[in-house]
Amino acid sequence: MGPAAAGRPPPGGARVRGGGASAEACRARCRELPTPGHASPVTSAVLESGLALLAPPAASGETFIPYYTGRIIDILGSRYDPDAFATVISLMCLVSFSSSLAAGCRGGLFMFVHSRLNLRLRRLLFSSLVHQDLAFFQQVKTGDLTSRLSKDTALMSRLVPANANIFLRSLVKVLGLYSFMLGLSWRLTLLTLLESPLTMAAQKVYDARYQAVLKAIQDSLAYSGEVAREAVASVETVRSFGTEEEEAQRYKAALAHTRHLKDRRDLERALYLLFRRLLQLATQVLMLYCGHQQIQAGLMTKGGLVSFLLYQGEVGQYVQTLVYIYGDLLSNVGAAEKVFEYLDRVPAVSTDGTRAPATLQGHVAFRDVSFTYPSRPDLPVLQGVSFELQPGAVTALVGLNGSGKSTCVALLERFFEPQAGEVLLDGEPLRTYDHRYLHRQVALVGQEPTLFSGSVWENITYGLEGCSKEQVMAAAQAAHAAKFIATLDQGLETEVGEKGGQLSVGQKQRIAIARALIRQPSVLILDEATSALDVESEAAVRAAVLSGGARTVLVIAHHMATVEGADHIVVLEGGAVAEQGTHAELMARRGPYYSLVQRQLAE
Ligand SMILES: Nc1ncnc2c1ncn2[C@@H]1O[C@H](COP(=O)(O)OP(=O)(O)OP(=O)(O)O)[C@@H](O)[C@H]1O
C-alpha cells in the first residue's frame, strides 16, 4: 500500500512546518479561514459597483457646503430672516450628514476591496513563482523576488481600487464645483482655468522625476534586503572568515544609498509643493481683485464671492488629484509591470504532461543529450551523452569534478530541458509525464539535502498525506536514521530548526534519504547523498538502498566502495561519456575509470 493510501492520522496530532505552539495555532486558524482572494465574480462585482455607486452622492453632497456658506453670509449681511437662516442651516446639515455617510461607506468598501486584492495578487504571484523553472531562480535574486511579492503587490493592490475610488470622487467633485462656479460668475471661472495648465506642466515634470527615483529606491531596497539575507544565510562563512565588519559595512552602504535616494525624492517633492502653493496664492490674489471689481459693479454678492473662493480652492485640489492619479499610475507602473511579467511568465520547462501509467518499470535512457545552462550559454556542459539505467539495477555515474554528473541528474529531475537529445522514462520523453507523478516516481537525494523547519515527521512525509507511523519508521530504518531519531527528545516530533540547522549534516542526509524512500520511487537518484555518513551508516544505507530490488538506482559517489558495488558504471569526462561497463570490465580496460580508481587509491 502506498503512503497516500494509508489513511491513519500521524501520531501526536497535527504537525506544523515552522514548529512551536504558536505556529500550530496559526495553522489551525488558517485552516478555519476561507482561502484568501477567492472572491466570487459576483461578490467582486457587488463590491466594485458599491464603490461606483457611493462615490457620486458622497462627493456631490460636499459641493453644496460652500454654496450654503455664501448664502448664510448674505443672510447675515442683509436684513436677518430667521426662517431663511434655519432653512439654509437645516439643508446644510442634511447634505453634510448624507455625504459623510456615503463617504464613510465608500471608504470602508475601498479598504475591503484593497485587502482582498492584495491577498489575491500575492497568492497568484507566489503560485506563479513556485512553478517557474530552476534557471529562473538562478538568474533572479531572492531579494528581488521577495520585494515583488511584498512591496510591489501591495503597491499594485492599492493602485487599482484607490485610483478608481479617488478618480470617481474627484471627477464628480470637479463637475459639481465647476457648475456652481459658472452659476456664480463665468468671468471668474474663466480666470481659474488659467492655473490648471501651469500646474499640469509642473506635475508632468515632477512625475517623470518621481517615477525614476521611485524605481531606483525600489531597486535599492531590494539590494539592501539581499545583502542582509545573504549575510544571515551564510553567517557561518562570514564568521569563519571574520568578515562581520565588511558585511556590516556593505549593509550600511546599501542603506546609505537608499537614504540618499529618499532624500532626493523628498527634496524634489518639497520644491514641487512650494511651486504649487505659490501658484495658488497668485491665483487667489488675482481672484480677490477681480471679485472685488465684480461686487463694485453689482455683478456679484459678497456671499457669492466667498462661495466662489471656497469653490475655487477646492476645485484646484480636485483637478490636481485627477492629474495626480495619472502620475501615480505612471509611477507605479514599473512595479505593476514586474508583477505582471512574473505572473505571465511561462516556465521554460513545461509541467503540462499527463502520462501517469499505473505501473512503471523505471527504465531510463539518455539519448544523445546536449545541454548548456541558460546562465552560461557559451559553455557546453553535456555533449551527446547517451546511457541507460536498467530497471532494478544500480548504475553509478563517475567522473572528475565538473564533468557533468549533477547536470545529468538535473535533467532527469526536469529542472532543465536539454537543448538536443532526449531523456526517456520507459521509452517516453520525461515531459509527457504528469508533473506530480514524475516526481513521485523519480526521487532525488541531492548533495546538500534541504530540510524545512518543522518536525522530523513532517520532513520525511514532505508532500505526502496520510502516511502511517509504520511507513515513516520503515523509511527511517532503511535510511539508517531510526536509531538517531529515537535518541531525539521527542522522536519523530522533534523540531529540526530552520533548514534542519539543529541536526548534523549526516543526520540531515539520512532524513533526506528517508524522505525519498517513503515515496517508494521507481527511480532513486543519490547524488553524493551519503558523503557525510560515517562508515557504519554508509554501509547500512548502501545495503538497504543500493540493493535495488525492483527499483532503478542512479548513484553518484566519490567513494569507490559504493561505485564498485554498482551493476553498471558510466564514466563522464568533460561532459561526454568516456566509457561504461562493470567495475571489472572497466578496470581491465585500463582507461579513464582505471585512472580514477588509481588516483583515489594513491590518496
Ligand atoms: N547552475 C549552473 N549554471 C551554470 N553552470 C553550471 C551550473 N551548475 C553547474 N554548472 C557548470 O556545469 C559543469 C558541470 O557541473 P556539474 O555540477 O554537473 O558537475 P559534477 O560532475 O556534478 O561535479 P561535482 O563532482 O563537483 O559535483 C561545471 O562546469 C559547472 O561549472
Side-chain angles (χ1 to χ4, degrees), residues 142-159:
T142 320
D144 200 25
L145 292 183
T146 46
S147 165
R148 302 281 164 249
L149 208 50
S150 52
K151 287 197 205 70
D152 293 353
T153 47
L155 263 179
M156 253 183 93
S157 49
R158 188 183 62 81
L159 191 76

Side-chain angles (χ1 to χ4, degrees), residues 24-38:
E24 169 61 40
C26 182
R27 180 186 254 187
R29 274 201 300 278
C30 290
R31 268 197 299 261
E32 283 159 19
L33 291 170
T35 314
H38 281 294

Side-chain angles (χ1 to χ4, degrees), residues 138 373 375-376 381 400-407 447 558:
Q138 288 175 355
Y373 281 96
S375 53
R376 285 159 79 184
V381 175
L400 295 176
N401 291 140
S403 54
K405 305 180 294 290
S406 297
T407 305
Q447 288 187 9
H558 287 293

Side-chain angles (χ1 to χ4, degrees), residues 232-358:
V232 172
S234 323
V235 71
E236 285 172 16
T237 317
V238 172
R239 185 64 44 84
S240 64
F241 282 90
T243 50
E244 292 91 346
E245 203 42 49
E246 280 87 339
E247 289 300 330
Q249 285 302 330
R250 217 153 69 93
Y251 190 58
K252 190 175 157 195
L255 288 184
H257 182 57
T258 312
R259 199 203 56 223
H260 168 73
L261 289 167
K262 285 188 172 172
D263 288 349
R264 199 181 108 194
R265 178 196 62 186
D266 296 342
L267 179 72
E268 287 183 3
R269 175 142 193 90
L271 287 174
Y272 165 69
L273 288 179
L274 181 69
F275 173 79
R276 258 181 51 186
R277 291 278 145 78
L278 288 176
L279 194 66
Q280 271 171 12
L281 194 68
T283 321
Q284 227 143 26
V285 170
L286 192 67
M287 211 61 65
L288 276 175
Y289 176 74
C290 298
H292 172 69
Q293 290 202 327
Q294 293 227 323
I295 293 171
Q296 296 279 304
L299 294 171
M300 210 178 188
T301 63
K302 284 178 191 149
L305 180 61
V306 171
S307 297
F308 191 91
L309 288 176
L310 290 174
Y311 280 129
Q312 187 245 334
E314 258 195 274
V315 86
Q317 272 175 25
Y318 286 103
V319 169
Q320 288 296 320
T321 309
L322 282 176
V323 179
Y324 174 79
I325 288 177
Y326 175 70
D328 196 36
L329 264 172
L330 277 188
S331 64
N332 289 306
V333 111
E337 254 176 21
K338 266 279 183 236
V339 172
F340 277 125
E341 186 189 317
Y342 289 162
L343 274 177
D344 295 342
R345 190 177 190 277
V346 181
V349 178
S350 66
T351 49
D352 52 5
T354 52
R355 188 182 297 280

